[in-house]
Amino acid sequence: MNQIERQQDARARAPLGTVRHDWTVEEIQGLFKLPFPELVFTAQAIHRRTFDASAVQMAQLLSIKTGGCPEDCGYCSQSAHFETGLKASKLMDTEAILAEARRARDGGATRFCMGAAWRSPKDRDMDELCGTVSAVKGLGMETCMTLGMLTAYQAQRLKEAGLDYYNHNLDTSPEHYGNIITTRTYQDRLDTLAHVREAGMAVCCGGILGIGEGEVDRASMLCQLANLPAHPESVPINMLMQVEGTPLANAKRVDAIDLVRTIAVARIVMPESVVRLSAGREHMTDEAQALCFMAGANSIFVGDKLLTTANPGRSKDESLLDRLGMRAETPDAPIKPV
Ligand code: SAM
Ligand code: DTB
Ligand code: SF4
């Protein structure tokens, strides 16, 4: 057997649920094509090996610097390239952010994610950002930031301040990417992810559905994520929130069955990652969300706002979990039992 044959042979013999970094797009397309019950059952079986399948992590978002972004991401309310009617604001101060984090924690969130509408932070912002990270960390919450591209130095500073996760999405396949964003490249994104890893932080990286991609793009994006040198510990799957004024304002909504399939495939190819059902729950039925949990999603964003767009309020989510007999993660009962 030559090397390629050996690799193919090893792939064919690796049981589903193995942590692998040698996926092919064709193999992942094969998973997408499985009969729906077969796909969801496989994903659920894999899910249970690592996680408490009845538990969901509650994460809360806060936009710490809103609007006026120089990037041209075709889906985004915060890009200065589009007239979306969003009011831009400056970086919030640490005390104001801390007050929101406290409110999130008291409402049951165990993870706090701070987002800024930047291409990248300026080195002169780092002291203030690091002070904010340390203060939020002091509340006992898991911390995450998403500030755009990072240099190795900036990633190191955030790590030293105690940041647990950095969120930076690949968003879509390398093939579809240029149709959505022209101001930064796919490689720029991979470089930032490498800086985050080298600094020793956990990676939160996923994408968006409903931005004109085809099924092959979804398979290709998941292939990129699963073949990173290490799987992102957290994988957000967003459904586009259509924003008036953006080029994608009238994009076709993703079919719920296609969403569930994508969650299931993400669970299978990244068996030990937290898969977060992120933007777009506002337009999902309870039944669709229940199927996503069956397929291996185990985190959601809570609160009535994401960064700038709507999200189901807390009482709706409490009622959903209650009706499903599921529980929210707590600090002493994590989704990943120790
Ligand atoms: N400015 C930073 C950046 O893009 O690197 C961080 C914030 S940005 C809002 C984080 C991610 O949110 C994007 O990569 C995208 O996947 C998602 N997102 C943004 N706008 C969205 C929308 N309208 N619907 C769904 N997801 C969206
Ligand atoms: C991610 O993948 N989804 C979150 C978080 N990372 C930062 C953001 C969703 C934003 C949805 C659009 C908005 O509210 O502006
Ligand atoms: Fe800016 Fe982030 Fe929005 Fe892109 S997704 S326009 S980088 S805020």
mmCIF file of all heavy atoms in Angstrom, residues 26-27 67 83 88 99 116 155 157 172 174 201 205 279 281 303 305 330 333:
data_model
loop_
_atom_site.group_PDB
_atom_site.id
_atom_site.type_symbol
_atom_site.label_atom_id
_atom_site.label_comp_id
_atom_site.label_asym_id
_atom_site.label_seq_id
_atom_site.Cartn_x
_atom_site.Cartn_y
_atom_site.Cartn_z
ATOM 1 N N GLU A 26 -15.710 15.175 0.507
ATOM 2 C CA GLU A 26 -16.604 14.140 -0.031
ATOM 3 C C GLU A 26 -17.166 13.279 1.104
ATOM 4 O O GLU A 26 -18.348 12.954 1.125
ATOM 5 C CB GLU A 26 -15.859 13.228 -1.025
ATOM 6 C CG GLU A 26 -15.437 13.926 -2.319
ATOM 7 C CD GLU A 26 -14.291 14.929 -2.118
ATOM 8 O OE1 GLU A 26 -13.498 14.758 -1.173
ATOM 9 O OE2 GLU A 26 -14.206 15.895 -2.905
ATOM 10 N N GLU A 27 -16.292 12.917 2.055
ATOM 11 C CA GLU A 27 -16.760 12.115 3.194
ATOM 12 C C GLU A 27 -17.828 12.874 3.972
ATOM 13 O O GLU A 27 -18.831 12.303 4.399
ATOM 14 C CB GLU A 27 -15.584 11.944 4.163
ATOM 15 C CG GLU A 27 -14.875 10.647 4.168
ATOM 16 C CD GLU A 27 -13.819 10.695 5.258
ATOM 17 O OE1 GLU A 27 -12.920 11.564 5.209
ATOM 18 O OE2 GLU A 27 -13.902 9.869 6.159
ATOM 19 N N GLY A 67 -20.967 49.010 15.915
ATOM 20 C CA GLY A 67 -21.133 49.716 14.632
ATOM 21 C C GLY A 67 -19.881 50.403 14.100
ATOM 22 O O GLY A 67 -18.799 50.365 14.692
ATOM 23 N N GLU A 83 -26.015 50.909 4.864
ATOM 24 C CA GLU A 83 -26.935 51.767 5.634
ATOM 25 C C GLU A 83 -27.916 50.876 6.380
ATOM 26 O O GLU A 83 -28.932 50.461 5.826
ATOM 27 C CB GLU A 83 -27.735 52.659 4.666
ATOM 28 C CG GLU A 83 -26.942 53.725 3.942
ATOM 29 C CD GLU A 83 -26.521 54.845 4.895
ATOM 30 O OE1 GLU A 83 -27.188 55.029 5.930
ATOM 31 O OE2 GLU A 83 -25.507 55.499 4.579
ATOM 32 N N ALA A 88 -23.796 53.870 15.976
ATOM 33 C CA ALA A 88 -22.462 53.415 16.401
ATOM 34 C C ALA A 88 -22.148 53.968 17.788
ATOM 35 O O ALA A 88 -22.630 55.037 18.170
ATOM 36 C CB ALA A 88 -21.416 53.882 15.397
ATOM 37 N N ALA A 99 -21.147 45.385 34.980
ATOM 38 C CA ALA A 99 -22.541 45.400 35.453
ATOM 39 C C ALA A 99 -23.395 44.468 34.589
ATOM 40 O O ALA A 99 -24.234 43.718 35.103
ATOM 41 C CB ALA A 99 -23.085 46.830 35.407
ATOM 42 N N ALA A 116 -16.711 43.204 19.687
ATOM 43 C CA ALA A 116 -16.435 44.580 19.248
ATOM 44 C C ALA A 116 -16.425 44.630 17.724
ATOM 45 O O ALA A 116 -15.832 43.770 17.066
ATOM 46 C CB ALA A 116 -15.095 45.063 19.796
ATOM 47 N N ALA A 155 -2.918 38.476 21.273
ATOM 48 C CA ALA A 155 -3.450 37.214 21.792
ATOM 49 C C ALA A 155 -2.771 36.870 23.122
ATOM 50 O O ALA A 155 -3.417 36.459 24.086
ATOM 51 C CB ALA A 155 -3.228 36.096 20.770
ATOM 52 N N ARG A 157 -1.434 38.924 25.281
ATOM 53 C CA ARG A 157 -1.914 39.836 26.341
ATOM 54 C C ARG A 157 -3.271 39.364 26.887
ATOM 55 O O ARG A 157 -3.497 39.364 28.093
ATOM 56 C CB ARG A 157 -2.070 41.263 25.784
ATOM 57 C CG ARG A 157 -0.783 41.998 25.460
ATOM 58 C CD ARG A 157 -0.037 42.496 26.691
ATOM 59 N NE ARG A 157 -0.867 43.116 27.711
ATOM 60 C CZ ARG A 157 -1.152 44.415 27.809
ATOM 61 N NH1 ARG A 157 -0.647 45.253 26.937
ATOM 62 N NH2 ARG A 157 -1.908 44.887 28.775
ATOM 63 N N THR A 172 -17.750 30.612 6.415
ATOM 64 C CA THR A 172 -18.273 29.773 5.334
ATOM 65 C C THR A 172 -17.110 28.983 4.715
ATOM 66 O O THR A 172 -16.016 28.942 5.297
ATOM 67 C CB THR A 172 -19.038 30.656 4.308
ATOM 68 O OG1 THR A 172 -19.711 29.798 3.377
ATOM 69 C CG2 THR A 172 -18.142 31.620 3.558
ATOM 70 N N PRO A 174 -14.013 28.141 2.035
ATOM 71 C CA PRO A 174 -13.051 29.006 1.331
ATOM 72 C C PRO A 174 -13.568 29.391 -0.050
ATOM 73 O O PRO A 174 -13.280 30.481 -0.551
ATOM 74 C CB PRO A 174 -11.800 28.129 1.194
ATOM 75 C CG PRO A 174 -12.016 26.916 2.013
ATOM 76 C CD PRO A 174 -13.457 26.837 2.405
ATOM 77 N N MET A 201 -4.939 29.956 24.317
ATOM 78 C CA MET A 201 -6.363 30.139 24.602
ATOM 79 C C MET A 201 -7.179 29.074 23.880
ATOM 80 O O MET A 201 -6.735 28.514 22.877
ATOM 81 C CB MET A 201 -6.841 31.519 24.119
ATOM 82 C CG MET A 201 -6.584 32.612 25.129
ATOM 83 S SD MET A 201 -7.240 34.186 24.602
ATOM 84 C CE MET A 201 -6.083 34.671 23.346
ATOM 85 N N CYS A 205 -14.861 28.851 17.106
ATOM 86 C CA CYS A 205 -14.838 29.138 15.668
ATOM 87 C C CYS A 205 -15.905 28.327 14.946
ATOM 88 O O CYS A 205 -15.960 27.114 15.091
ATOM 89 C CB CYS A 205 -13.449 28.800 15.113
ATOM 90 S SG CYS A 205 -13.279 29.200 13.374
ATOM 91 N N ALA A 279 -26.848 32.509 16.435
ATOM 92 C CA ALA A 279 -27.844 33.463 15.923
ATOM 93 C C ALA A 279 -28.965 32.723 15.190
ATOM 94 O O ALA A 279 -28.752 31.644 14.638
ATOM 95 C CB ALA A 279 -27.171 34.440 14.972
ATOM 96 N N ARG A 281 -32.109 31.842 16.449
ATOM 97 C CA ARG A 281 -33.131 31.084 17.178
ATOM 98 C C ARG A 281 -34.456 31.828 17.229
ATOM 99 O O ARG A 281 -35.508 31.232 17.396
ATOM 100 C CB ARG A 281 -32.643 30.741 18.589
ATOM 101 C CG ARG A 281 -31.545 29.689 18.600
ATOM 102 C CD ARG A 281 -31.350 29.066 19.982
ATOM 103 N NE ARG A 281 -31.118 30.054 21.007
ATOM 104 C CZ ARG A 281 -31.956 30.281 22.032
ATOM 105 N NH1 ARG A 281 -33.052 29.577 22.191
ATOM 106 N NH2 ARG A 281 -31.670 31.219 22.924
ATOM 107 N N GLY A 303 -30.894 35.672 26.561
ATOM 108 C CA GLY A 303 -31.130 37.108 26.662
ATOM 109 C C GLY A 303 -31.853 37.571 25.406
ATOM 110 O O GLY A 303 -31.780 36.900 24.371
ATOM 111 N N LYS A 305 -31.284 39.939 23.370
ATOM 112 C CA LYS A 305 -30.487 40.501 22.285
ATOM 113 C C LYS A 305 -29.208 39.684 22.110
ATOM 114 O O LYS A 305 -28.620 39.241 23.097
ATOM 115 C CB LYS A 305 -30.119 41.945 22.652
ATOM 116 C CG LYS A 305 -29.793 42.806 21.475
ATOM 117 C CD LYS A 305 -29.941 44.266 21.867
ATOM 118 C CE LYS A 305 -28.810 45.096 21.345
ATOM 119 N NZ LYS A 305 -28.690 46.385 21.957
ATOM 120 N N THR A 330 -24.732 24.519 35.195
ATOM 121 C CA THR A 330 -24.378 25.365 36.337
ATOM 122 C C THR A 330 -22.889 25.148 36.622
ATOM 123 O O THR A 330 -22.326 24.140 36.170
ATOM 124 C CB THR A 330 -25.193 24.992 37.605
ATOM 125 O OG1 THR A 330 -24.990 23.594 37.869
ATOM 126 C CG2 THR A 330 -26.671 25.287 37.426
ATOM 127 N N ALA A 333 -22.348 21.774 37.928
ATOM 128 C CA ALA A 333 -22.814 20.644 37.096
ATOM 129 C C ALA A 333 -22.615 21.011 35.628
ATOM 130 O O ALA A 333 -23.545 21.389 34.921
ATOM 131 C CB ALA A 333 -24.276 20.339 37.388
#
